[in-house]
C-alpha cells in the first residue's frame, strides 16, 4: 500500500495525536537507515526512529567490496557511497613477510558514521527520521502500537527491529538470544600513519597471522577519507593480557605479533584511540510474532573476520524491502503467516547459514593446530600463491577462467 499523503500524519481516531506510518523502523544504524531509504523511496510511509539525530562514529563495518557493492548498486546506493568513501582497487596480501597474492577489484573504505549518514541522506523527506526512543511495542495481527520516550505514540502496520545487538525491546516482547559461540572473536580498529608523513607504498594491505598460538586471522589496512585504517581480527581469549597491550602499545604489539609487517609499514604510529569489540555468535528465538520482523544483527550476529555481516544485512534489506514488505502491505493483516515468509526466504536462509559457516571456518583456519587443519592451512595459502604466480606469468588468465565458470 502506497500513498501520496505525508510520510507521517496525525491519527484522527486517537485521543492524543499519534504518528501513523505504513512501516516503523526501530534503530537508525546501517540496517535501519538503508531499509528506511529503500522503502520511503518506493513510496511507502516510513518512520525511522532513533535516539540520535547524528549517528556516532562507532567501530563497525568500515569497508565494502565484491558482491556487497553489487548489492549496493542494485539497491541504489552506490553513487552516494562513492561520495563518502575512498575507493581502492588493489590489495597486497602477505604472510610471514612474503606476498601471497594481490587482490584486484573495486572496494571502498569509510567511517561507519559516514556510511550511516549517507544512508539517511537518501530519505526523501527529513520527517522520515524521528529522533526519539522506543520504550514499548504492542504487536497485533493488524496495527502495531509503539510508545516513545517523549510520550508520543506511533502506529504502523509493520515494525522492523533493526536495533543491532541491543536486546531490551526484544526481551520485552519475549524475544531472546541463543548463544552459539560465546566470545567467538575479538576485533580491533585504529588508524595509522608514517611518522615522516609520507604515504604507504600500497593502496591496501592484508597481513595474515603467522602462528596459530597467536590466534590472529589477519590485519587489514585500507584507505578511508581520514587516512589509513587498520582492522585486526583475532580468535583469542578477550581477557588475555595481549588485549591490553594492543590498546596501550599498539605499534610495538602489532609488530611483535606480525613481524613480517615491518618492511611494509616502516616507522609508523597509531593516530587515534584503539577501539575493540568482543563478538558472540548469537541467533534469536521467539521472534516469529505478528507485525514485527527483525533484520541484521538484531536477528543474527556475525564474525567480523568472516566479512559476511554486511552481505547478510544487505540481503535482509533487499528481500524485506523490495519483495516481502511491499507485498504484505498490499493486503489486509500482518499476521505471523506473512512474517514467516521473510524468515524462510531462501536467499536469507542461505546468507545466514553462509555467515555461520564462514565464522567457524575462519576460526578453525586461524587457530586449529591439529594435522588436518595444519594441512588445510598450508594448502590454502599455497593454492593462492601458485595462482598468483601463474597469473603474473599469464596476465588475465584467472579473470578469464572465472568468467567462463560464471557463464
Amino acid at each position: 500500500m502506497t500513498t501520496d499523503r505525508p510520510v507521517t500524519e496525525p491519527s484522527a481516531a486517537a485521543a492524543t495525536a499519534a504518528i501513523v506510518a505504513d512501516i516503523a523502523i526501530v534503530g537508525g544504524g546501517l540496517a535501519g537507515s538503508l531499509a528506511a531509504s529503500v522503502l520511503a523511496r518506493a513510496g511507502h510511509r516510513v518512520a525511522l526512529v532513533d535516539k540520535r539525530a547524528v549517528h556516532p562514529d562507532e567501530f563497525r563495518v568500515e569497508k565494502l567490496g565484491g558482491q556487497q557493492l553489487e548489492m549496493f548498486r542494485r539497491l541504489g546506493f552506490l553513487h552516494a557511497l562513492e561520495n563518502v568513501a575512498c575507493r581502492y582497487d588493489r590489495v597486497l596480501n602477505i604472510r610471514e613477510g612474503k606476498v601471497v597474492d594481490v587482490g584486484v577489484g573495486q572496494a571502498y573504505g569509510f567511517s561507519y558514521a559516514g556510511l550511516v549518514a549517507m544512508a539517511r541522506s537518501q530519505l526523501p523527506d527529513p520527517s522520515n527520521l524521528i529522533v526519539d526512543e522506543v520504550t514499548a511495542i504492542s504487536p497485533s495481527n493488524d496495527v502495531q502500537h509503539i510508545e516513545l520516550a517523549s510520550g508520543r505514540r506511533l502506529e504502523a502496520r509493520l515494525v522492523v527491529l533493526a536495533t543491532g545487538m541491543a536486546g531490551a525491546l526484544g526481551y520485552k516482547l519475549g524475544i531472546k538470544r541463543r548463544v552459539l559461540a560465546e566470545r567467538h572473536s575479538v576485533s580491533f580498529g585504529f588508524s595509522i600513519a608514517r611518522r615522516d608523513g609520507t604515504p604507504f607504498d600500497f593502496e591496501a594491505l592484508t597481513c595474515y597471522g603467522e602462528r596459530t598460538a597467536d590466534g590472529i586471522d589477519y590485519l587489514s589496512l585500507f584507505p578511508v577519507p581520514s587516512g589509513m585504517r587498520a582492522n585486526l581480527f583475532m580468535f583469542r581469549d578477550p581477557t588475555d593480557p595481549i588485549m591490553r597491550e594492543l590498546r596501550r602499545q599498539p605499534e610495538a604489539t602489532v609488530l611483535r605479533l606480525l613481524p613480517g609487517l615491518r618492511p611494509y609499514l616502516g616507522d609508523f604510529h597509531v593516530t587515534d584511540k584503539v577501539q575493540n569489540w568482543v563478538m558472540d555468535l548469537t541467533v534469536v528465538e521467539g521472534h516469529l510474532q505478528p507485525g514485527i520482523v527483525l533484520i541484521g544483527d538484531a536477528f543474527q550476529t556475525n564474525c567480523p573476520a568472516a566479512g559476511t555481516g554486511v552481505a547478510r544485512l544487505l540481503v535482509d534489506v533487499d528481500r524485506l524491502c523490495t519483495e516481502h514488505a511491499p507485498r504484505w502491505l498490499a493486503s489486509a493483516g500482518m499476521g505471523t503467516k506473512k512474517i514467516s515468509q521473510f524468515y524462510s526466504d531462501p536467499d536469507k536462509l542461505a546468507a545466514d547459514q553462509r555467515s555461520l559457516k564462514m565464522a567457524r571456518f575462519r576460526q578453525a583456519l586461524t587457530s586449529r593446530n591439529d594435522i588436518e587443519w595444519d594441512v588445510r592451512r598450508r594448502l590454502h595459502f599455497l593454492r593462492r600463491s601458485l595462482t598468483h604466480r601463474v597469473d603474473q606469468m599469464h596476465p588475465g588468465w584467472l579473470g578469464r577462467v572465472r568468467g567462463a565458470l560464471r557463464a
Side-chain angles (χ1 to χ4, degrees):
M1 181 192 305
T2 60
T3 179
D4 292 328
R5 292 173 291 170
V7 174
T8 60
E9 62 180 23
S11 171
T16 302
I19 302 168
V20 176
D22 295 324
I23 302 173
I25 299 174
V26 184
L30 183 59
S33 298
L34 288 174
S37 292
V38 171
L39 290 164
R41 292 188 308 192
H44 303 289
R45 295 179 300 172
V46 174
L48 173 62
V49 185
D50 193 85
K51 58 185 178 182
R52 301 182 182 93
V54 178
H55 202 280
D57 199 7
E58 300 174 318
F59 175 38
R60 294 285 192 275
V61 55
E62 297 181 330
K63 60 179 178 176
L64 293 171
Q67 288 300 311
Q68 297 166 346
L69 294 182
E70 179 55 37
M71 297 184 74
F72 256 73
R73 181 181 292 107
R74 188 165 67 245
L75 291 170
F77 294 105
L78 186 58
H79 179 70
L81 172 66
E82 292 172 342
N83 294 328
V84 300
C86 283
R87 174 173 172 170
Y88 58 97
D89 300 287
R90 292 175 63 85
V91 181
L92 181 66
N93 299 305
I94 66 171
R95 186 169 186 255
E96 297 179 341
K98 301 176 183 178
V99 175
V100 175
D101 56 18
V102 177
V104 179
Q106 187 177 356
Y108 291 90
F110 43 78
S111 71
Y112 182 72
L115 190 64
V116 173
M118 177 280 294
R120 291 185 182 185
S121 74
Q122 301 303 297
L123 288 167
D125 188 332
S127 68
N128 289 122
L129 175 61
I130 299 173
V131 182
D132 211 325
E133 185 173 2
V134 174
T135 56
I137 302 172
S138 300
S140 75
N141 288 319
D142 187 17
V143 176
Q144 322 316 317
H145 298 274
I146 303 162
E147 298 177 14
L148 305 178
S150 64
R152 292 183 291 178
R153 294 182 297 109
L154 174 60
E155 296 177 359
R157 292 194 58 200
L158 177 66
V159 174
V160 179
L161 287 186
T163 49
M165 290 167 281
L169 275 177
Y171 186 79
K172 290 180 180 180
L173 293 165
I175 301 171
K176 298 180 180 179
R177 285 192 178 273
R178 177 163 60 91
V179 177
L180 304 176
E182 189 175 12
R183 302 191 297 183
H184 174 76
S185 62
V186 184
S187 307
F188 288 84
F190 49 92
S191 300
I192 66 170
R194 280 183 168 160
R195 293 188 186 275
D196 61 6
T198 60
F200 292 100
D201 299 327
F202 49 82
E203 274 193 272
L205 181 146
T206 300
C207 180
Y208 293 95
E210 301 181 10
R211 299 172 293 270
T212 56
D214 292 333
I216 295 178
D217 193 346
Y218 59 93
L219 172 73
S220 177
L221 301 171
F222 53 93
V224 296
S226 61
M228 186 66 72
R229 190 66 176 162
N231 288 175
L232 175 63
F233 303 106
M234 305 179 69
F235 298 100
R236 194 156 172 167
D237 187 344
T239 64
D240 192 295
I242 198 70
M243 305 301 168
R244 183 173 59 254
E245 294 174 33
L246 279 165
R247 290 190 294 269
R248 294 181 178 179
Q249 298 177 309
E251 299 93 345
T253 308
V254 164
L255 290 179
R256 189 171 78 250
L257 293 171
L258 297 168
L261 263 177
R262 191 179 298 273
Y264 297 90
L265 296 187
D267 187 13
F268 79 101
H269 67 121
V270 172
T271 61
D272 58 4
K273 181 181 178 181
V274 177
Q275 301 169 291
N276 75 286
W277 273 100
V278 178
M279 181 62 70
D280 297 334
L281 292 184
T282 66
V283 64
V284 294
E285 296 178 335
H287 52 283
L288 183 54
Q289 300 189 20
I292 297 177
V293 64
L294 284 68
I295 64 172
D297 285 343
F299 177 77
Q300 177 183 305
T301 58
N302 316 274
C303 172
T308 55
V310 177
R312 269 198 61 250
L313 180 156
L314 292 172
V315 169
D316 280 358
V317 170
D318 180 44
R319 299 307 297 158
L320 177 65
C321 301
T322 68
E323 172 64 25
H324 296 290
R327 185 159 41 80
W328 295 344
L329 293 171
S331 60
M334 199 60 68
T336 57
K337 185 176 181 180
K338 283 184 175 180
I339 302 301
S340 66
Q341 294 168 358
F342 170 70
Y343 294 126
S344 61
D345 183 281
D347 290 345
K348 172 177 172 53
L349 288 174
D352 292 343
Q353 292 166 4
R354 180 176 183 274
S355 179
L356 292 176
K357 180 179 179 181
M358 286 300 298
R360 294 174 177 126
F361 172 76
R362 294 306 317 179
Q363 183 183 41
L365 188 69
T366 299
S367 305
R368 290 275 296 272
N369 57 9
D370 54 83
I371 294 177
E372 176 190 352
W373 278 97
D374 182 59
V375 171
R376 291 184 67 170
R377 188 161 41 248
R378 292 174 185 273
L379 289 176
H380 173 82
F381 287 106
L382 178 61
R383 181 178 66 252
R384 290 179 55 176
S385 180
L386 290 176
T387 301
H388 174 61
R389 292 179 186 177
V390 173
D391 196 46
Q392 284 184 309
M393 291 186 290
H394 304 282
W397 81 276
L398 183 59
R400 292 192 294 271
V401 169
R402 287 173 175 169
L405 292 174
R406 286 195 295 265

